Amino acid sequence: MQSDSVGEYLSANDAVALRSQPLLRSAFIALSQNRLLRRFAERSSIGRRMSGRFVAGMSIDEALAVCERLNREGIAATLDALGESVTTEPEARASADVYHRMLDAIAARGLNANVSLKLSQMGMDFDPDLAEKIVGEMVEHASAVDSFVRIDMEGSPYTEATIAMTERLQTRGDGPGRVGTVLQAYLYRTEGDVERLLRQGIRIRLCKGAYKEPPAIAFPDKPDVDANYIKLAERLMNSGVFCGIATHDEAIVDKLLTFTREHDVPQDAFEFQMLYGIRRDLQRRLIELGFGVRVYVPFGPEWYPYFMRRLAERPANLFFLVKNALKS
Ligand SMILES: Cc1cc2nc3c(=O)[nH]c(=O)nc-3n(C[C@H](O)[C@H](O)[C@H](O)COP(=O)(O)OP(=O)(O)OC[C@H]3O[C@@H](n4cnc5c(N)ncnc54)[C@H](O)[C@@H]3O)c2cc1C
């Protein structure tokens, strides 16, 4: 059984190492883009074993089994077939094909689940029109099977293009209510983007942001990111547009629970969202309180960049993983 709270396993030496966390965070984010290390890690058995901490297996069937288990616990899911930055149309089409199969499987098994994808996975880096066509087809499919497509937010070079594409897809015949995107509280621009998307009734998932961004465009200090997160989350919860509150930050969750009580926010106005393998205790607590919880379920052989971003958020995870790998 995996632990959600890795802190309790740390020795004094580990704790010293963790005091340099901002440095470690930058190092892990830089390593997440290292192609050589990625190729080595994704092919090694120890790498695959360690990835199991945050990745729900290598195949669609394994991910669907995780969704079934989550659904039995009263938790909804969003499935992410991991993969970023494809460089050819056949690769983009192959990524999309996995999503089409997932949408069909979700419908066939009657799962409480939808899908999350990245535009770089759908050809955005070399042919934005192709990416839009591919995602448009996905939204059409989602509409046909009564599902939903969430476009994840990548680094800031993608921000405007992702928002603009979501807006265009939302206005198409099968778009309304079938497509949404993600906004990151660390970006200064996000407050404006929240209003922009809310005006159009577009569903937003709010997260803090997982990429390394310069202080010219993003709050460099965590307390400022957290304060902005709370402000924007409160705006979303009271907006009348269903939203996803994506965080594992229990202090923030508690503040938002107080906000819902004080402002009579209905429980079905939003859902909490968390990542697979993180803070399952908090997920269970929220379910017991009657709130909706959706878990983001990533899977697939291209797990390395996602996995490294999770280590960047909490470098203590590395100590936990290495200790476990050495034990097994
Ligand atoms: C459903 C979902 C979807 C997301 N989609 C996107 C996206 O599209 N684009 C994007 O940029 N980012 C995305 N993220 C990531 C997000 O931006 C943050 O990087 C991540 O959620 C960590 O921030 P936090 O709000 O949990 O708060 P933090 O302040 O980072 O963490 C608060 C507490 O949560 C726990 N925790 C957080 N991360 C971890 C971890 N990796 N391992 C163990 N414990 C942890 C710890 O207890 C920590 O003290 C998503 C996150 C979620 C939950």
Side-chain angles (χ1 to χ4, degrees):
M1 169 105 176
Q2 293 161 343
S3 168
D4 290 313
S5 166
V6 295
E8 70 215 44
Y9 294 102
L10 296 184
S11 68
N13 284 347
D14 295 341
V16 170
L18 286 176
R19 277 203 280 280
S20 51
Q21 190 149 324
L23 267 182
L24 284 172
R25 178 171 196 269
S26 301
F28 279 122
I29 290 186
L31 286 175
S32 76
Q33 288 148 5
N34 185 306
R35 284 166 190 273
L36 260 183
L37 196 56
R38 174 175 178 175
R39 200 172 323 143
F40 169 74
E42 287 180 349
R43 289 176 186 178
S44 75
S45 62
I46 187 168
R48 282 178 172 224
R49 216 166 45 237
M50 283 174 41
S51 73
R53 177 72 179 86
F54 301 120
V55 176
M58 297 295 137
S59 68
I60 292 187
D61 278 344
E62 285 172 285
L64 290 170
V66 167
C67 284
E68 277 166 355
R69 180 175 59 69
L70 289 168
N71 283 181
R72 280 197 297 276
E73 294 169 17
I75 297 173
T78 188
L79 279 165
D80 170 25
L82 291 168
E84 294 168 33
S85 298
V86 299
T87 51
T88 64
E89 177 165 351
E91 282 174 344
R93 294 260 172 219
S95 306
D97 185 53
V98 176
Y99 277 89
H100 287 292
R101 283 192 279 137
M102 284 188 320
L103 284 168
D104 284 334
I106 288 169
R109 298 188 189 200
L111 294 174
N112 182 1
N114 58 33
V115 297
S116 291
L117 59 82
K118 290 188 172 45
L119 290 185
S120 64
Q121 208 178 349
M122 302 298 153
M124 191 70 179
D125 292 338
F126 64 94
D127 187 347
D129 291 339
L130 171 71
E132 186 155 341
K133 188 168 184 306
I134 286 178
V135 182
E137 288 163 3
M138 206 101 72
V139 173
E140 226 171 273
H141 190 170
S143 174
V145 296
D146 193 22
S147 192
F148 178 81
V149 175
R150 175 82 60 186
I151 306 179
D152 284 347
M153 189 58 80
E154 299 177 70
S156 54
Y158 295 88
T159 309
E160 180 55 34
T162 303
I163 292 173
M165 190 189 293
T166 309
E167 290 172 326
R168 287 192 296 274
L169 292 173
Q170 157 90 358
T171 55
R172 292 172 22 153
D174 35 42
R178 299 295 176 187
V179 61
T181 189
V182 181
L183 296 180
Q184 298 152 322
Y186 62 16
L187 295 182
Y188 303 135
R189 62 172 285 165
T190 294
E191 187 168 4
D193 291 334
V194 162
E195 297 306 326
R196 171 176 167 184
L197 293 187
L198 285 180
R199 274 196 296 280
Q200 302 166 78
I202 295 177
R203 283 161 61 167
I204 297 167
R205 171 201 296 152
L206 183 68
C207 66
K208 289 188 189 175
Y211 297 82
K212 187 159 175 53
E213 302 291 359
I217 61 167
F219 294 103
D221 297 324
K222 189 171 177 336
D224 294 328
V225 177
D226 291 354
N228 200 39
Y229 190 97
I230 294 168
K231 179 167 100 178
L232 299 179
E234 290 179 352
R235 170 72 183 109
L236 288 176
M237 291 165 122
N238 243 343
S239 67
V241 178
F242 187 81
C243 61
I245 302 297
T247 183
H248 318 92
D249 190 326
E250 194 159 10
I252 288 184
V253 168
D254 283 334
K255 280 203 173 73
L256 295 177
L257 293 182
T258 305
F259 179 82
T260 59
R261 281 192 297 274
E262 289 175 353
H263 293 79
D264 291 326
V265 178
Q267 285 193 326
D268 61 1
F270 67 96
E271 65 188 6
F272 287 105
Q273 298 189 353
M274 296 190 203
L275 301 177
Y276 173 73
I278 301 181
R279 291 308 308 263
R280 279 165 293 187
D281 55 335
L282 184 54
Q283 296 166 21
R284 281 192 294 270
R285 188 185 140 211
L286 291 167
I287 289 287
E288 278 161 21
L289 288 171
F291 289 95
V293 176
R294 183 177 300 276
V295 164
Y296 186 100
V297 179
F299 72 95
E302 295 182 52
W303 50 265
Y304 175 82
Y306 175 88
F307 176 79
M308 293 302 279
R309 286 197 296 277
R310 301 294 77 81
L311 291 186
E313 284 153 9
R314 193 169 166 80
N317 285 330
L318 183 62
F319 295 94
F320 172 79
L321 288 168
V322 170
K323 277 177 189 167
N324 267 7
L326 292 177
K327 268 189 230 153
S328 49

